Amino acid sequence: MQSSTIVNGKQRKTSPSEKSPEVGVVIDGSSHAARPGERLVDLINRVGVKLPQVCYHPQLGPVQTCDTCLIEIDGQLVRACATAVSEGMSVSTVSPRAHAARQEAFDRILSNHMLYCTVCDNNNGNCTVHNTTKLMAIEHQQIPFKTKPYEVDNTNPFYRYDPDQCVLCGRCVEACQNVEVNETLSINWDDPHPRVLWDGGSNIGESSCVSCGHCVTVCPCNALMEKSMLGHAGFLTGISKRALNSMIDVVKGVEPETGYSSILRVSEIESAMRESRIRRTKTVCTYCGVGCSFNIWTKDRHILKVEPLEGPANGISTCIKGKFGWDYVNDPDRLTKPLIREGDGFREASWDEALDLVARKFTEIKAKHGPDSLAFISSSKCTNEESYLMQKLARGVIGTNNIDNCSRYCQAPATTGLFRTVGHGGDSGSIHDIENASLVLIIGSNTAESHPVLATRVKRAHKLHGQKLIVSDLRENEMARRADLFLHPKPGTDLVWLSAITRYLLENGLAHEDFLRQWVNGLEDYRKALAPFTMEFASQTCGLPVETLEKVAHMIAEASGVCILWAMGVTQQSQGSDTSTAISNLLLVTGNYMRTGTGAYPLRGHNNVQGAGDCGAAPATLPGYQSVDDPQVRARFEAGWKVKLSSTKGLDNHQMVDAIHQGKVKSLYLEGEEMAIVDSNANHVAAAFSKLDFFVVQDIFFSTTCRFADVVLPATPSLEKDGTFTSTERRIQRLHQVFEPIAGSRPDWKITRDIANRLGANWNYAHPSEIMSEMASLSPLYAGVNYERLEGFKSLQWPVAADGSDQPLLYTQKFNFPDGKARLFPVTWSGPVEKSNTEFDLHLNNGRLLEHFHEGNLTYRVKGIKEKTPDVFVEISPELAQERGVQSGTWLLLISRYGQVRVRALVTDRVSGRELYMPMNSTESPVNRLTSSITDTVTHTPAFKETSVHMQILPEIGESPLPRVNPRFGHPTPQQGVETERKWKRPDYRFPGSELVQIQQK
């Protein structure tokens, strides 16, 4: 449990070792125990005293714009939100003076807001303005409502802003500036009619707004609302604007005589009626690996809104995909019937016919060619329980270890590097621990777009709390532009500069010698392996000045705690495992493990890529990373499953493709992966699929991969099933079924169960909780995991002991080796396998975009996302564009040694020189038609990032592939939060109660 104190008006998290004895505070004559430094408003709320507070939100901190939380201490009126408790403090919330001041403050708020709750879509019991009106028993306004001279802004596809309803609390600005740190929103307090501004006055649709939804989530009224709520949430709101305005006029017309209380009673009846048709269901995001969780509000199959609040990873935070990217669930292209190939096409079939065919063909192929002629691939989009069943089907029913998942494409090298050095293949700690770091080093990760909510925590710590930031990348992405130091090494050379810095630290007395003596093995052999990695060699190899490398080394040595974050820019190299190992070696040499604010954080790309590996969807490990060749492990699973298991390591998904070409693998069962265009050297992969004797694809849409299938089985997305996901933090969370499966589709776990039973298994799972219980009984890593311990927003971070205790921060007592010590693992340098030459003279990088996920099978079905980013493109530097005569919109043909794609250019200074960047988000021109079959030598992870191309300029010039409404073209307005002090300086502002009262400033 973390405590907190207030420093300079901001809450600072403290560790348990920093805690002091509780202090006594008297509130309205009653004594209460408070935590030292706790905000007074938090104590008041915790003990149940009712105190108005419009602008305060516990995850935003004291905004201090509304003055409705005024209380009296020692004869002075102060804001409870900005006051820290102290020993012996005596607080009065009920003094006449405090009461009068709060009434005055709230009357000013109502002068900015028209109360028409009965016909408002936001009348859902959680409107702060409505509830405060009731709490304070307001009957009439002393200051009449005044309209503002601005139109409603409807230019964002997902939400609208109504200035006339805006109370100018500044919550949205605080959230945008200091939580999301996109720095788009502000309030010009000097304006005669202040309002919330996007980019200082742009319309929302053409601003730098990234549609993260933070502002909408924290708005205390209906000024900012999801468009999906409008006309849908209330009983009286789905009517024409003219009729609605007339009803509002009626409501306002009766207020002078009846007072607000009678109007609020009617609105509360209408709000209560909504409970009969609005459901709120907790789920976990299906996109990246951050693990955001939230409630989804639904009416029938209509998604009203996503409401983040209590998620342990994200709190109030979301990104455009998590907040607004769910339209695909009801897309008319959803698969609703099993499909069986007939000739060059498919026909619809019943479930019984399709499953019987699958079972018969699997049986025939196994009998004729043996169990290892079949292969199975699970999905990181599926639940833990579904991956567990897929690997159990392969091993326990078919008898093969040919099982893998898409972590092979991205995270396997990072897992290997950590297993080599510290013993667990996962993040060292939590996002909270990254926030606590003195220095964050990001390598090969476009964190702000690939893991946006996690990036907000780094941006916040960097902006507000003095955290230092170093970024190493080929592109000057958002995190690079924010960094204190940006490194642009030559492609594929990170291992060299990391090792050189480590050697420099060891040779110059900057290593953590005490830590190395107590906790680390292998130092002398490791020192010898560092011999080639001089600073001069690193400078020449990486293209980085020696002075810059020395600066990095000293910044690391001087930091009290270092966290290193990395992703596909590291792992998708031919030496991805060794570079990941070098990262962990550096952390060990500098003592940056075993405490908060330190450690290794390989950022998992998909929502459940960590869980898929945890649950045994891998060729060499059973659930919990237990080796298939360990007799004791096999004996435990054989007893649990009542089968004999193979001890032979299976094929990974890269090897499966080669084995298909060689005629060794005859059948493939693929669950929820778009492998035909997501795997590297896509033409080679597609050619393999066409050679299979029998191919089963299970998905929610008819994907490119489905075109090669013999049977297509319609599955369900996460909103239509129960289960668990495990995030990049090793955080296991429950997702609850929001909708019934769309007619004709089935959850993946049920499909796999039914196939297994047709093959002779006797699986009688009736719910995913039973699957998890079985896995927990066989895997010490998940021993204490059960659905009761994950109810609601509760979560567990593995390893989880049988008693339910977990480890949010790893290695606090020892490393995961028999002697408790970590191991320095020597690495060598061989360099990228594929290099540019005179023909293929440009380096092509690739990766994700903020708006889309992977190839876009889900996100292109969201109209608003497609409006923001309608198509794929290739980024080209201004200098290369000038040299070749290219402009944004020029059509290019990119040709590699393996294929070609046609794509439009986007000229941008995010890339430089002869380096290109192409996002993954295309099914028509997928970048992986250009990538090779070269892999990391240890894990067979494709070297997606080692691609050279020739660029042919086509005669056509189209429009820019990014429209004006993309947030890249906006102009953020960074500032320190709401800048409430500017409001206090307005001529028309007077501190409620008395102009002479001393008030507590920020």
Side-chain angles (χ1 to χ4, degrees):
M1 177 67 70
Q2 294 290 325
S3 181
S4 60
T5 57
I6 294 177
V7 179
N8 296 327
K10 298 292 183 182
Q11 198 114 345
R12 185 181 73 85
K13 293 174 181 173
T14 57
S15 68
S17 62
E18 295 180 272
K19 287 185 179 179
S20 305
E22 292 180 327
V23 298
V25 177
V26 176
I27 302 175
D28 298 334
S30 298
S31 297
H32 301 280
R35 294 183 287 269
E38 183 177 12
R39 293 189 190 109
L40 180 55
V41 70
D42 291 334
L43 173 63
I44 290 171
N45 292 338
R46 182 158 53 81
V47 301
V49 174
K50 299 297 183 184
L51 180 72
Q53 49 206 268
V54 174
C55 71
Y56 180 69
H57 188 292
Q59 294 183 49
L60 298 179
V63 180
Q64 303 188 80
T65 57
C66 74
D67 296 332
T68 58
C69 68
L70 289 169
I71 44 85
E72 190 169 351
I73 301 175
D74 298 329
Q76 288 190 326
L77 294 177
V78 297
R79 300 181 182 94
C81 67
T83 303
V85 299
S86 60
E87 178 63 44
M89 178 181 282
S90 182
V91 177
S92 175
T93 70
V94 295
S95 74
R97 220 166 139 223
H99 177 77
R102 293 197 297 267
Q103 295 282 117
E104 180 184 344
F106 191 63
D107 202 54
R108 295 177 188 170
I109 286 173
L110 289 182
S111 71
N112 280 311
H113 182 83
M114 183 184 290
L115 278 171
Y116 55 83
C117 307
T118 306
V119 291
C120 176
D121 280 292
N122 202 45
N123 183 38
N124 302 295
N126 63 344
C127 175
T128 302
V129 172
H130 173 287
N131 295 341
T132 305
T133 305
K134 179 183 178 182
L135 175 65
M136 299 181 68
I138 302 294
E139 291 292 347
H140 303 286
Q141 292 177 227
Q142 301 304 311
I143 306 174
F145 166 73
K146 299 171 187 172
T147 61
K148 303 181 186 79
Y150 310 114
E151 297 292 323
V152 175
D153 192 331
N154 279 298
T155 58
N156 182 279
F158 303 112
Y159 68 92
R160 68 99 171 98
Y161 172 59
D162 185 348
D164 269 350
Q165 294 302 99
C166 178
V167 298
L168 297 172
C169 66
R171 276 190 184 186
C172 59
V173 176
E174 185 71 24
C176 184
Q177 290 285 344
N178 289 346
V179 180
E180 157 64 15
V181 200
N182 202 56
E183 301 172 317
T184 298
L185 272 59
S186 62
I187 297 174
N188 180 7
W189 294 109
D190 299 325
D191 195 295
H193 304 282
R195 59 169 169 156
V196 177
L197 301 173
W198 278 255
D199 287 2
S202 171
N203 66 59
I204 302 172
E206 295 188 346
S207 73
S208 60
C209 171
V210 293
S211 301
C212 65
H214 284 66
C215 59
V216 187
T217 293
V218 300
C219 181
C221 57
N222 63 341
L224 285 160
M225 280 193 68
E226 299 89 344
K227 289 183 175 179
S228 51
M229 287 280 286
L230 298 172
H232 291 281
F235 280 85
L236 304 175
T237 54
I239 56 179
S240 69
K241 182 173 178 62
R242 182 176 178 181
L244 180 62
N245 288 338
S246 297
M247 295 181 71
I248 292 172
D249 290 341
V250 171
V251 172
K252 299 306 294 180
V254 299
E255 178 265 321
E257 294 183 9
T258 63
Y260 283 134
S261 59
S262 59
I263 296 173
L264 295 183
R265 279 194 293 272
V266 174
S267 72
E268 286 162 7
I269 293 171
E270 196 266 350
S271 177
M273 290 169 60
R274 298 184 186 191
E275 297 298 317
S276 65
R277 64 179 189 176
I278 294 178
R279 295 180 65 233
R280 298 167 176 83
T281 311
K282 182 257 181 172
T283 191
V284 181
C285 188
T286 194
Y287 288 107
C288 80
V290 172
C292 296
S293 55
F294 30 68
N295 283 319
I296 289 195
W297 293 35
T298 56
K299 186 178 74 173
D300 301 322
R301 284 193 70 94
H302 177 74
I303 297 174
L304 291 165
K305 70 172 177 176
V306 166
E307 182 186 42
L309 182 61
E310 303 174 64
N314 61 302
I316 60 170
S317 296
T318 44
C319 74
I320 182 175
K321 299 183 292 291
K323 180 73 172 176
F324 300 114
W326 299 91
D327 293 359
Y328 70 89
V329 174
N330 293 316
D331 192 278
D333 289 340
R334 282 279 304 275
L335 289 169
T336 58
K337 294 269 191 179
L339 303 174
I340 294 176
R341 177 175 293 280
E342 279 194 352
D344 294 331
F346 292 86
R347 65 172 175 84
E348 293 182 348
S350 69
W351 271 102
D352 284 339
E353 181 187 9
L355 295 178
D356 287 345
L357 174 61
V358 172
R360 185 174 75 252
K361 295 293 288 185
F362 282 0
T363 301
E364 291 172 355
I365 292 169
K366 177 182 176 181
K368 185 175 181 179
H369 301 287
D372 288 335
S373 66
L374 291 93
F376 301 79
I377 297 178
S378 188
S379 172
S380 57
K381 280 278 166 280
C382 291
T383 64
N384 287 320
E385 295 77 7
E386 288 164 341
S387 282
Y388 176 84
L389 286 195
M390 184 63 101
Q391 63 86 35
K392 184 179 180 182
L393 171 65
R395 293 181 163 114
V397 180
I398 298 298
T400 182
N401 284 315
N402 292 345
I403 170 71
D404 209 358
N405 74 91
C406 86
S407 67
R408 187 72 47 200
Y409 300 145
C410 53
Q411 290 303 326
T415 301
T416 295
L418 294 178
F419 270 124
R420 285 171 167 177
T421 53
V422 290
H424 274 309
D427 284 9
S428 302
S430 307
I431 296 171
H432 164 74
D433 296 297
I434 299 173
E435 289 181 86
N436 284 347
S438 170
L439 169 67
V440 167
L441 171 56
I442 299 176
I443 308 173
S445 168
N446 182 7
T447 317
E449 297 195 64
S450 297
H451 303 86
V453 169
L454 187 150
T456 67
R457 289 3 185 198
V458 177
K459 291 191 288 184
R460 177 180 173 87
H462 183 251
K463 178 177 181 177
L464 300 182
H465 304 307
Q467 184 179 84
K468 298 297 182 183
L469 177 62
I470 301 173
V471 173
S472 172
D473 206 281
L474 302 187
R475 297 169 71 228
E476 194 173 358
N477 54 46
E478 179 186 345
M479 300 307 285
R481 288 179 172 172
R482 290 180 178 274
D484 298 282
L485 184 61
F486 171 47
L487 310 178
H488 182 173
K490 293 178 183 178
T493 63
D494 292 300
L495 182 151
V496 176
W497 68 261
L498 285 163
S499 297
I501 283 173
T502 308
R503 174 179 166 170
Y504 180 89
L505 292 166
L506 283 165
E507 292 182 345
N508 289 275
L510 299 174
H512 198 311
E513 300 292 348
D514 291 342
F515 184 89
L516 287 168
R517 276 192 295 271
Q518 183 176 359
W519 292 112
V520 183
N521 289 323
L523 177 58
E524 289 313 309
D525 287 342
Y526 180 62
R527 280 184 191 271
K528 295 174 185 176
L530 288 177
F533 297 105
T534 64
M535 283 295 203
E536 291 72 23
F537 175 71
S539 178
Q540 180 181 0
T541 304
C542 305
L544 299 171
V546 169
E547 296 76 18
T548 299
L549 295 172
E550 290 179 350
K551 182 176 181 179
V552 173
H554 283 279
M555 288 178 71
I556 291 172
E558 293 164 9
S560 59
V562 178
C563 290
I564 301 183
L565 285 53
W566 75 101
M568 296 184 294
V570 168
T571 59
Q572 291 179 341
Q573 302 277 356
S574 56
Q575 285 198 274
S577 291
D578 288 345
T579 305
S580 298
T581 304
I583 288 170
S584 191
N585 286 337
L586 172 59
L587 290 166
L588 289 171
V589 165
T590 53
N592 279 297
Y593 275 111
M594 307 189 84
R595 65 190 193 280
T596 189
T598 67
Y601 296 84
L603 303 181
R604 308 309 196 183
H606 285 262
N607 56 304
N608 204 40
V609 71
Q610 180 71 58
D614 295 349
C615 298
T621 55
L622 286 148
Y625 303 99
Q626 301 175 90
S627 178
V628 296
D629 62 8
D630 186 323
Q632 291 183 328
V633 168
R634 281 202 318 279
R636 186 185 324 124
F637 278 89
E638 287 173 345
W641 292 352
K642 298 179 174 55
V643 297
K644 291 296 291 182
L645 296 176
S646 170
S647 61
T648 304
K649 176 185 174 181
L651 302 175
D652 59 46
N653 50 22
H654 176 78
Q655 293 170 318
M656 291 174 192
V657 171
D658 288 343
I660 296 169
H661 279 294
Q662 296 162 7
K664 296 177 181 178
V665 167
K666 304 292 185 180
S667 179
L668 179 64
Y669 180 7
L670 178 63
E671 175 184 64
E673 289 291 340
E674 177 64 301
M675 195 170 168
I677 58 174
V678 169
D679 201 354
S680 193
N681 198 354
N683 292 326
H684 178 68
V685 175
F689 290 163
S690 66
K691 294 181 178 180
L692 284 164
D693 289 355
F694 188 65
F695 187 19
V696 180
V697 177
Q698 198 164 292
D699 214 322
I700 63 174
F701 295 110
F702 192 86
S703 65
T704 301
T705 307
C706 289
R707 299 174 187 172
F708 300 92
D710 295 286
V711 176
V712 178
L713 301 175
T716 60
S718 61
L719 295 192
E720 294 178 1
K721 56 190 171 188
D722 291 299
T724 60
F725 290 152
T726 304
S727 73
T728 191
E729 298 179 288
R730 301 170 285 107
R731 188 183 299 279
I732 308 160
Q733 301 181 91
R734 277 191 68 180
L735 49 141
H736 299 256
Q737 183 174 314
V738 177
F739 300 124
E740 286 298 315
I742 200 166
S745 65
R746 295 182 181 180
D748 295 86
W749 69 269
K750 287 187 176 181
I751 301 172
T752 306
R753 176 199 65 187
D754 292 347
I755 290 173
N757 286 339
R758 279 171 164 78
L759 291 167
N762 186 27
W763 295 358
N764 56 6
Y765 309 108
H767 190 266
S769 59
E770 300 167 4
I771 304 170
M772 175 57 75
S773 294
E774 177 180 303
M775 187 177 77
S777 72
L778 296 170
S779 173
L781 200 71
Y782 275 59
V785 179
N786 60 52
Y787 275 35
E788 289 71 30
R789 288 174 175 154
L790 299 174
E791 189 61 40
F793 284 89
K794 291 188 290 185
S795 66
L796 294 166
Q797 291 172 267
W798 65 250
V800 184
D803 64 2
S805 57
D806 64 345
Q807 293 188 36
L809 180 62
L810 293 176
Y811 319 123
T812 56
Q813 303 297 321
K814 63 185 185 68
F815 290 95
N816 192 39
F817 292 113
D819 64 357
K821 291 189 174 184
R823 303 171 179 177
L824 287 166
F825 191 99
V827 293
T828 58
W829 165 247
S830 58
V833 175
E834 179 174 312
K835 298 180 174 69
S836 300
N837 59 22
T838 53
E839 180 181 2
F840 302 102
D841 60 329
L842 304 177
H843 179 269
L844 178 67
N845 192 11
N846 61 79
R848 295 202 174 106
L849 282 181
L850 173 67
E851 295 87 358
H852 285 291
F853 194 82
H854 251 246
E855 71 286 345
N857 270 350
L858 307 182
T859 47
Y860 273 120
R861 301 174 193 278
V862 181
K863 182 180 177 182
I865 289 179
K866 191 171 182 180
E867 176 185 316
K868 292 286 184 182
T869 310
D871 201 359
V872 74
F873 50 84
V874 60
E875 293 184 348
I876 179 170
S877 68
E879 56 267 37
L880 184 60
Q882 183 176 12
E883 175 190 317
R884 304 283 176 96
V886 172
Q887 63 188 56
S888 290
T890 299
W891 281 97
L892 306 172
L893 190 66
L894 299 182
I895 306 167
S896 75
R897 296 170 174 92
Y898 315 97
Q900 61 185 40
V901 298
R902 183 173 175 271
V903 64
R904 279 183 293 175
L906 180 71
V907 180
T908 172
D909 61 0
R910 291 193 180 197
V911 292
S912 61
R914 294 177 177 270
E915 294 172 359
L916 309 176
Y917 178 84
M918 184 172 170
M920 302 173 182
N921 59 300
S922 178
T923 56
E924 301 302 318
S925 298
V927 68
N928 286 317
R929 287 183 183 154
L930 302 172
T931 53
S932 72
S933 293
I934 297 166
T935 68
D936 172 67
T937 54
V938 181
T939 64
H940 293 154
T941 297
F944 292 94
K945 302 299 188 284
E946 293 180 20
T947 302
S948 299
V949 297
H950 167 72
M951 185 174 75
Q952 180 178 331
I953 302 170
L954 301 177
E956 314 142 75
I957 297 179
E959 295 181 352
S960 172
L962 276 187
R964 178 66 188 84
V965 295
N966 188 277
R968 282 199 194 190
F969 298 113
H971 300 282
T973 52
Q975 61 183 47
Q976 291 298 315
V978 187
E979 298 186 342
T980 312
E981 295 88 348
R982 292 176 58 201
K983 175 183 177 177
W984 297 337
K985 293 176 182 177
R986 283 179 61 90
D988 58 357
Y989 176 79
R990 184 175 69 88
F991 184 72
S994 171
E995 292 184 62
L996 301 177
V997 173
Q998 296 291 320
I999 64 172
Q1000 181 167 331
Q1001 304 285 337
K1002 283 188 179 180

